[in-house]
């Protein structure tokens, strides 16, 4: 096809060299930019259609306006109405932004290229590809508006679609509005509005935001995803649902690379594995290994439900609550050894040992001596537990245990083989007998859990309440340790104090309780008047079905009991002995036995002075007792939303992506589904 002659081009273009797309531009660069220029064409001529005059341009036409090049196969240029209808192989190029399509109407006064009905594709400087059927591109502002549905895919295969949206080349930003759906790095999102900054690859979600990762879901009122560093931030009524957990907060920061989460403001974590709820103003959470740190008035709720479905949950609060899990092989060996020693000592029954020793010796004196020795042994085994703990003084469970496996030197192994007559064994050259016998056992990957509570610890259960300064628990020994002036109230009327306490749990139920140093038990018989009292260096309580069935007082006991006649308190009995044991049924004392150095006195209560009715160090503290769970924490507990979210009706369908990138998201979903078994195994 011949090129248009220079003379013809000049004659056709001359009327438009002074044509301006908008009024009010008098001079300078704005004047030059507003001019529409025909730079190239194979053929150009004047035509008249319906009484209007057009400049018809045919063949490889190139127009320039607002520093923007318009390429097309042919065009009709209406001079009077100031627009260009371009057809065939449309391409608009402005700096690093390129638009392609089949036809446009370019309205010169509006500086706008209007694509209608046919597929249009916009590619920005970062190779993000936007496809739609309806789009307006302003060449002066370098902005685009699409509507009636569109989808954008980036060079990494991530995709965003919406009902309508805009693109700004100067800002390097896409705005998606209405029915927004996004896929990025195995994450799925829906929201009302999404702003995507292509410079730093950050997506900002606004209004009714939901996200999915595998079987995990999140919902909020707004959020942000920073792709380059894989960090997410959500705010406004944040709710997270995973296979094992359900979490709420006012805001959430999440780092995908480290699997670290920071939840702030009215936080709740529902742990369906351990049947527990964590409440706090701040929660720091690491996924692997699992670790949760709670601050700002934290509380822990352990859900206790009987066979009839009646709940009697345990509420605990402190200034700081820490919960974490580790593999046994990663726990510091000193921590493991201390826990194992505590467990062995907890299983010792001093009274049973005393009976066995008495039977062997055949004399009361021997039995008494044995009882005292057993008591001393129990106290010594517990001495390591009495030191006040703290975040900085505990052996760190995160220091990997050193390899303590003892392997015999090769020479020793070889000698043993010779003695056993095995020196003639024939093995392949690549395998030695020594090496085969020296293989270490596989590491113990059993998961163990830890709970640490520091400062102002409060515990409430309907029948038991506790106060202390700190509490430690590990599933290695299943013993809860209470430190610094612990106080326990039982069935409201009984108060127990000691320098420190331990409680052993077996089969997830309370089995034994230990009071170390200055044990003191007070039971209110008549309010503010008569109190049963037992005081000794050490005491042990044995539980059946969460009720005390037996107690032992060891190492020098002083007791005070009030006796009623015809329901009237008449006498106070004071007892002293080396050992005391009591049997209970349904919370009532059935029998008490006293052993060694027994001393007994009785006093009529009418003639009993106040100082004689109290043992030394008597301290009845009903005002300190948490009387309800609201004395532990005033935070409310949200009901689970698990049934509402599975399966979710809001999961993205990507209908615009299917239209403009046909089959792409279906392929992504097939790939994700094919990996699910692998993901499950990795968990």
């Amino acid at each position: 096809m011949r090129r248009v002659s220079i003379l013809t081009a000049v004659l056709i273009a001359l009327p438009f060299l002074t044509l301006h797309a908008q009024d009010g531009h008098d001079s300078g660069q704005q004047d030059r930019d507003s001019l529409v220029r025909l730079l190239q064409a194979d053929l150009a001529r004047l035509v008249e259609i319906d009484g209007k005059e057009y400049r018809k341009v045919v063949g490889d036409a190139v127009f320039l306006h607002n520093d923007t090049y318009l390429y097309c196969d042919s065009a009709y240029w209406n001079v009077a109405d100031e627009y260009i209808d371009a057809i065939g192989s449309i391409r608009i190029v402005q700096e690093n932004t390129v638009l392609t399509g089949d036809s446009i109407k370019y309205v010169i006064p509006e500086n706008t290229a209007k694509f209608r009905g046919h597929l249009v594709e916009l590619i920005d400087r970062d190779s993000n590809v936007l496809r739609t059927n309806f789009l307006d591109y302003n060449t002066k502002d370098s902005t685009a508006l699409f509507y009636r549905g569109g989808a954008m895919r980036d060079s990494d295969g991530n995709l965003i679609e919406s009902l309508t949206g805009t693109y700004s080349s100067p800002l390097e930003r896409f705005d998606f509005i209405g029915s927004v759906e996004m896929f990025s790095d195995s994450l799925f999102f829906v929201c009302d509005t999404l702003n995507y900054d292509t410079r730093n690859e950050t997506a900002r979600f606004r209004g009714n935001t939901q996200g999915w990762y595998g079987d995990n879901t999140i919902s909020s009122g707004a959020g942000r995803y920073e792709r380059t560093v894989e960090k997410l931030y959500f705010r406004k009524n944040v709710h997270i649902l995973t296979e094992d957990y359900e979490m709420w907060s006012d805001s959430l920061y999440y780092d995908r690379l480290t699997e670290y989460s920071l939840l702030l403001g009215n936080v709740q974590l529902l742990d369906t594995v351990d049947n527990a709820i964590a409440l706090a103003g701040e929660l720091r959470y690491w996924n692997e290994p699992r670790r949760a740190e709670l601050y700002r008035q934290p509380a822990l709720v352990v859900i206790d439900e009987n066979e009839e479905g009646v709940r009697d949950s345990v509420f605990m609060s402190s200034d700081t609550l820490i919960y974490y899990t580790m593999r046994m092989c990663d726990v510091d060996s000193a921590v493991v050894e201390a826990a194992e020693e505590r467990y062995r000592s907890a299983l010792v029954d001093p009274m049973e040992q005393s009976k066995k020793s008495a039977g062997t010796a055949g004399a009361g004196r021997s039995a008494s001596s044995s009882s005292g020795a057993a008591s001393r042994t129990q106290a010594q085994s517990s001495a390591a537990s009495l030191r006040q703990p703290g975040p900085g003084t505990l052996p760190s469970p995160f220091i990997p245990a050193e390899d303590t496996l003892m392997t015999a030197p090769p020479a020793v192994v070889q000698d043993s083989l010779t003695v056993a007559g095995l020196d003639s064994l024939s093995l392949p050259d690549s395998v030695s007998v020594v090496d085969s016998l020296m293989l270490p056992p596989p590491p113990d990957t059993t998961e163990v859990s830890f709970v640490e509570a520091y400062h102002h610890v409060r515990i409430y259960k309907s029948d038991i309440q506790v106060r202390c300064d700190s509490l430690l628990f590990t599933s290695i020994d299943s013993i809860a340790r209470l430190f610094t002036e612990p106080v326990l109230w039982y069935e409201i009327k009984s108060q127990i104090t000691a320098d420190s306490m331990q409680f052993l749990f077996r089969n997830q139920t309370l089995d034994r309780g230990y009071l170390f140093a200055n044990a003191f038990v007070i039971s209110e018989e008549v309010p503010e008047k008569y109190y049963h009292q037992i005081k000794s260096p050490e005491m042990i309580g044995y539980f059946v079905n969460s009720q005390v069935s037996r107690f032992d007082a060891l190492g020098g006991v002083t007791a005070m009991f009030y006796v009623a006649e015809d329901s009237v308190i008449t006498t106070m009995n004071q007892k002293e002995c080396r050992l005391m044991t009591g049997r209970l049924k349904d919370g009532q004392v059935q029998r008490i036995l006293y052993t060694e150095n027994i001393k007994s006195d009785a006093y009529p209560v009418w003639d009993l002075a106040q100082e004689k009715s109290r043992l030394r160090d008597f301290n009845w503290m009903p005002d300190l007792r948490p009387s309800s769970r609201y004395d532990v924490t005033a935070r409310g507990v949200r009901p689970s939303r698990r049934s509402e979210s599975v399966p979710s009706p809001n999961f993205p369908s990507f209908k615009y992506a299917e239209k403009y990138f046909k089959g792409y998201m279906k392929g992504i979903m097939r790939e994700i589904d094919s990996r699910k078994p692998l993901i499950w195994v990795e968990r």
Side-chain angles (χ1 to χ4, degrees):
M1 182 180 292
R2 64 184 179 85
R3 293 288 178 182
V4 65
S5 67
I6 295 176
L7 178 60
T8 304
V10 171
L11 290 175
I12 295 176
L14 186 59
F16 313 113
L17 295 179
T18 58
L19 182 63
H20 289 66
Q22 295 184 13
D23 297 331
H25 298 286
D26 298 326
S27 60
Q29 182 64 40
Q30 289 182 341
D31 285 335
R32 291 192 296 272
D33 289 346
S34 64
L35 293 174
V36 176
R37 297 180 178 87
L38 175 62
L39 301 183
Q40 175 184 305
D42 288 342
L43 177 65
R45 61 189 177 90
L46 297 173
V47 298
E48 184 176 324
I49 303 175
D50 296 331
K52 292 184 179 182
E53 191 176 71
Y54 292 86
R55 270 59 177 172
K56 182 177 180 181
V57 181
V58 180
D60 295 332
V62 181
F63 293 89
L64 176 65
H65 186 231
N66 294 333
D67 285 335
T68 303
Y69 293 92
L70 167 60
Y71 299 84
C72 62
D73 290 341
S74 61
Y76 289 88
W77 189 353
N78 188 313
V79 177
D81 294 336
E82 298 185 78
Y83 67 85
I84 300 172
D85 283 329
I87 304 170
S89 303
I90 302 297
R91 188 158 56 98
I92 293 178
V93 180
Q94 185 183 67
E95 293 185 359
N96 295 312
T97 302
V98 178
L99 295 94
T100 60
D102 291 334
S103 64
I104 65 165
K105 182 174 185 177
Y106 187 74
V107 182
I108 297 169
E110 298 178 6
N111 305 293
T112 302
K114 299 183 177 182
F115 296 81
R116 297 291 184 271
H118 299 285
L119 178 66
V120 55
E121 182 175 86
L122 183 153
I123 304 176
D124 71 357
R125 69 188 65 199
D126 297 310
S127 300
N128 297 302
V129 179
L130 171 67
R131 291 179 181 174
T132 183
N133 290 125
F134 297 87
L135 182 143
D136 293 344
Y137 186 77
N138 188 299
T139 58
K140 185 175 183 179
D141 297 335
S142 302
T143 59
L145 166 67
F146 72 89
Y147 54 95
R148 297 191 188 179
M152 186 273 287
R153 186 176 69 182
D154 70 8
S155 57
D156 295 327
N158 303 298
L159 187 140
I160 309 173
E161 69 168 47
S162 65
L163 181 61
T164 186
T166 63
Y167 166 72
S168 173
S169 179
L171 298 178
E172 298 184 50
R173 192 176 91 174
F174 288 89
D175 293 329
F176 298 88
I177 304 166
S179 303
V180 181
E181 300 181 352
M182 176 180 179
F183 164 74
S184 179
D185 308 309
S186 70
L187 300 174
F188 296 87
F189 295 99
V190 298
C191 62
D192 295 337
T193 301
L194 188 151
N195 310 124
Y196 183 65
D197 190 329
T198 63
R199 288 171 296 186
N200 52 28
E201 298 186 61
T202 298
R204 289 176 172 83
F205 314 104
R206 305 183 190 280
N208 298 318
T209 302
Q210 282 190 271
W212 293 264
Y213 173 60
D215 295 328
N216 307 327
T217 67
I218 184 169
S219 63
S220 69
R224 182 177 70 245
Y225 176 41
E226 301 174 17
R227 282 198 60 228
T228 54
V229 291
E230 295 200 50
K231 292 182 178 179
L232 297 105
Y233 167 70
F234 297 93
R235 60 189 177 89
K236 297 182 181 178
N237 301 318
V238 180
H239 175 254
I240 306 163
L241 188 65
T242 73
E243 182 181 1
D244 299 327
Y245 303 101
E246 192 170 2
M247 291 181 275
W248 294 260
S249 67
D250 294 338
S251 61
L252 162 72
Y253 298 87
Y254 178 61
D255 188 328
R256 291 188 71 194
L257 298 178
T258 61
E259 295 191 90
Y260 166 73
S261 302
L262 173 62
L263 289 81
L264 298 173
N266 201 19
V267 178
Q268 175 176 318
L269 185 152
L270 172 60
D271 184 343
T272 57
V273 176
D274 296 323
N275 214 23
I277 301 172
L279 306 168
E282 176 182 346
L283 168 62
R284 304 173 189 176
Y285 183 79
W286 292 262
N287 189 52
E288 188 61 39
R290 236 184 335 164
R291 180 178 176 89
E293 298 180 0
L294 291 87
Y295 305 95
R296 304 184 191 180
Q297 299 178 327
L300 180 66
V301 183
V302 180
I303 302 171
D304 186 8
E305 186 172 322
N306 61 23
E307 296 179 355
E308 288 75 28
V310 178
R311 286 188 175 182
D312 188 13
S313 300
V314 180
F315 292 80
M316 181 176 74
S317 68
S318 65
D319 293 351
T320 300
L321 272 171
I322 301 174
Y323 168 80
Y324 55 94
T325 62
M326 298 181 68
R327 299 185 308 170
M328 181 68 84
C329 58
D330 294 331
V331 181
D332 188 346
S333 59
V335 174
V336 176
E337 291 171 5
E340 292 175 346
E341 177 58 31
R342 277 195 303 272
Y343 184 74
R344 285 192 294 267
S345 299
L347 295 182
V348 173
D349 187 332
M351 299 302 291
E352 290 297 325
Q353 285 193 341
S354 174
K355 292 178 182 178
K356 292 179 181 179
S357 298
T360 303
R365 182 176 59 84
S366 299
S368 172
S369 175
S370 176
S371 299
S375 176
R376 289 191 295 272
T377 300
Q378 180 76 4
Q380 291 171 356
S381 67
S382 306
S385 306
L386 302 181
R387 188 172 48 144
Q388 167 64 26
T393 61
L394 291 174
S396 173
F398 292 98
I399 301 175
E402 296 182 12
D403 186 3
T404 58
L405 294 173
M406 301 299 294
T407 54
V412 175
V413 177
Q414 289 172 353
D415 289 346
S416 65
L417 291 176
T418 302
V419 172
L422 301 177
D423 54 349
S424 61
L425 284 175
S426 176
L427 295 174
D429 294 338
S430 59
V431 180
S432 74
V433 176
V434 174
D435 290 342
S436 66
L437 294 180
M438 291 180 63
L439 288 176
D444 186 352
T445 58
T446 303
E447 187 177 77
V448 294
S449 58
F450 298 82
V451 176
E452 301 174 5
Y454 297 107
H455 310 307
H456 304 104
V457 177
R458 305 288 183 271
I459 299 175
Y460 175 83
K461 191 173 180 289
S462 62
D463 54 346
I464 296 176
Q465 299 84 45
V466 176
R467 288 173 65 106
C468 63
D469 184 70
S470 55
L471 179 149
L472 302 179
F473 174 84
T474 172
S475 62
I476 299 175
D477 56 15
S478 296
I479 293 176
R481 295 176 285 155
L482 283 60
F483 300 90
T484 310
E485 300 180 352
V487 186
L488 183 148
W489 292 268
Y490 180 71
E491 296 290 358
I492 301 177
K493 292 186 177 182
S494 297
Q495 174 187 292
I496 302 171
T497 58
D499 288 356
S500 68
M501 301 181 185
Q502 291 186 4
F503 296 92
L504 170 65
F505 293 84
R506 302 177 75 182
N507 299 321
Q508 299 182 337
T509 59
L510 181 59
D511 185 76
R512 301 183 188 186
Y514 303 85
L515 312 179
F516 298 121
N518 300 313
F520 205 133
V521 177
I522 303 173
S523 182
E524 186 179 54
E525 181 64 24
V526 177
E528 301 182 6
K529 192 171 184 180
Y530 299 130
Y531 300 88
H532 304 305
Q533 302 158 59
I534 303 175
K535 182 180 179 182
S536 71
E538 190 172 330
M539 294 185 69
I540 304 175
Y542 299 84
F543 293 81
V544 175
N545 296 327
S546 299
Q547 285 195 333
V548 179
S549 62
R550 167 190 153 198
F551 70 86
D552 297 336
L554 313 170
V557 185
T558 303
M560 188 177 287
F561 300 108
Y562 289 85
V563 181
E565 295 180 8
D566 297 328
S567 301
V568 177
I569 301 294
T570 59
T571 307
M572 185 273 284
N573 286 341
Q574 184 165 332
K575 301 283 188 179
E576 293 183 9
C577 61
R578 184 66 177 171
L579 303 173
M580 174 191 294
T581 183
R583 301 285 180 172
L584 295 86
K585 183 177 181 181
D586 298 328
Q588 301 296 318
V589 176
Q590 302 293 307
R591 183 179 61 174
I592 296 180
L593 299 177
Y594 308 92
T595 305
E596 190 181 346
N597 301 329
I598 302 171
K599 181 180 178 181
S600 180
D601 293 300
Y603 304 92
V605 296
W606 62 268
D607 194 28
L608 191 64
Q610 176 72 20
E611 62 272 13
K612 292 291 186 180
S613 66
R614 308 283 192 269
L615 295 178
R616 185 179 178 182
D617 300 324
F618 176 93
N619 186 14
W620 178 246
M621 299 174 284
D623 294 340
L624 297 182
R625 183 182 71 86
S627 59
S628 74
R629 75 86 147 178
Y630 294 101
D631 288 339
V632 174
T633 178
R635 296 185 182 277
V637 177
R638 299 176 177 92
S640 173
R641 289 168 48 187
R642 184 170 296 274
S643 59
E644 299 177 12
S645 303
V646 180
S648 173
N650 301 323
F651 191 84
S653 60
F654 296 107
K655 64 178 181 179
Y656 298 125
E658 179 61 21
K659 179 178 180 180
Y660 297 115
F661 298 93
K662 191 171 182 61
Y664 175 70
M665 286 309 303
K666 289 183 178 180
I668 292 291
M669 297 305 297
R670 283 195 298 269
E671 182 180 351
I672 291 175
D673 288 340
S674 68
R675 293 202 310 259
K676 278 186 177 179
L678 296 178
I679 295 173
W680 181 265
V681 171
E682 290 170 0
R683 285 191 194 136

